[in-house]
Structures are given as C-alpha cells and as structure tokens.
Amino acid sequence: MREYFRQERLSFRYIPAFWLARLLFVVMIILLPTAQMFLMLMAAVFSYGFRFETEAESLIPLTDEEIKRMRLTRCHMIWLRYLIVGFVGILLGYLLPDSIIIRGGMYGSPAILGAFFALQMVAIYETLLERAEGITGGKKIYTPFRYVFCSLPTVILFVYAFRGLEFRKKTAFFMNGATWIHAGILLAATALLAIYCVKLYSEWKIRDFAPNAEKETRAAKKEKRE
C-alpha cells in the first residue's frame, strides 16, 4: 500500500495534469451519478497504467509473487477510490434531489439501485483485474464460461444502465413490475461476475515471452522457398 501511495505522489509531482484529471473525474461522478458506470469503466481502462515510473524502477528484478502483489494492490486501491466516490455521488443524489445533480430513473427504487451499484463495482473490479493481467502478458480467451459468467452480466449491466439514464422520456422497464425481480436479476449477475473474477485471479500467471508460432511458421516456409 505504501508503494501505491509513493507512486501516486510521484505521478502528481512530475505529471501535474493528473490533478486536473482526478478532479474532473470526481466532479463528474458527483454531478452525474446516473452515468457513473460509464465514467468508471472508461477511466478504469486508463487509470491502472497512468503512473510515473523511472527507468531504474522498471529494471528492478521482482519475483512473480511480488509482481502479482504489486499489481493487485494497485487494482484494489483504484477500485476502493471508485467505490468511495461512486457511493458519495449516489448519497448526494438522494440528499440533494433538487440540486444540480442529475439523477437517474433508478433513484425511484433504492433496492434496484443498490443491486445495480453492486454489479457496477464488480464490473469495475473485473476490468481492472483484466487490465493488470493483460499488462503481464495475458490474453483474453473467449470460452463458454467467459460468455456466461462475464459477457452475460456485462450485457445486463449495460441494459439497466442505459434504461436508467435521466434523459429518457419513457419510464424505465425496471420501474414496472416487482422490485425484487429486477434486484434479483442484478444480484445474480453480480454473483456470476464475482465468480469469474475469482477464476480469473486463481488462473493468473506471469507469462514469459512466447514468440508468435504462426509468424514463425510463415517465416520458416518463406525461408525454405527462398
């Protein structure tokens, strides 16, 4: 954790634009809580890799476990920051309903909003975890397991997120019918995505450099013809 805060201090010191980017993100989350899911997903793609690192630091030899622990700590700290800012945005949306904060349709049902927020935060964690694994040389493998436990919950997340936007004139579909049904769907999607995150982490390995076999085969054939 101390290493994370050290990197943050260095980033803010040598790249002052981070202050503006961080402030803009917080302000948008608070003023647009109904769109915070979209903002967080976009920011999560870049937040993990945006840090200051000297050339000397990149040459320090680390074990696989040290690399994983360092990257996972960064994931957790970024996720915790998003969790706090997101919760504050939703809380202010409830406390200040007549302010400049733009609220979404989900504010009419606290149970649905709570279940959606849980799914949203698991989706953010999954994005950060895949980002960390991708930097270590990982590669997404699309399997039936991924489609059921990752793609399906993501689709559900986006369906509810788009239908809950404030500017839509029609009443969102989740406001019609039993609240527990929609909350149950969101929580079930949360459980599926959480299982995917557990599997993703358990299979996370630091991969050594592996040459592209297909390119090597083509190069060998070309050399043979010549």
Side-chain angles (χ1 to χ4, degrees), residues 1 4 8 19 31 41 52 64 76 92 105 110 118 125 131 135 140 160-161 163-164 168:
M1 186 178 297
Y4 169 79
E8 287 289 285
W19 286 106
L31 297 183
L41 282 178
F52 180 83
D64 290 357
H76 288 166
L92 291 178
Y125 183 79
R131 176 70 172 140
I135 288 180
K140 293 182 181 180
Y160 278 83
R163 293 302 303 176
R168 290 187 175 274

Side-chain angles (χ1 to χ4, degrees), residues 7 9 11 31 49 68 78 93 97 99 123 132 154 158 161 164 167 183 209:
Q7 292 176 350
R9 288 195 300 271
S11 298
L31 297 183
K68 289 177 64 175
I78 294 174
S99 64
T154 302
F158 273 88
F167 57 77
F209 172 75

Side-chain angles (χ1 to χ4, degrees), residues 207-218:
R207 297 172 175 84
D208 293 329
F209 172 75
N212 190 306
E214 184 179 351
K215 289 184 177 180
E216 284 197 339
T217 302
R218 290 200 301 266

Side-chain angles (χ1 to χ4, degrees), residues 132-151:
E133 188 181 61
I135 288 180
T136 61
K139 182 179 180 181
K140 293 182 181 180
I141 300 177
Y142 292 90
T143 62
F145 179 85
R146 179 179 174 85
Y147 284 120
V148 174
F149 287 84
C150 181
S151 299

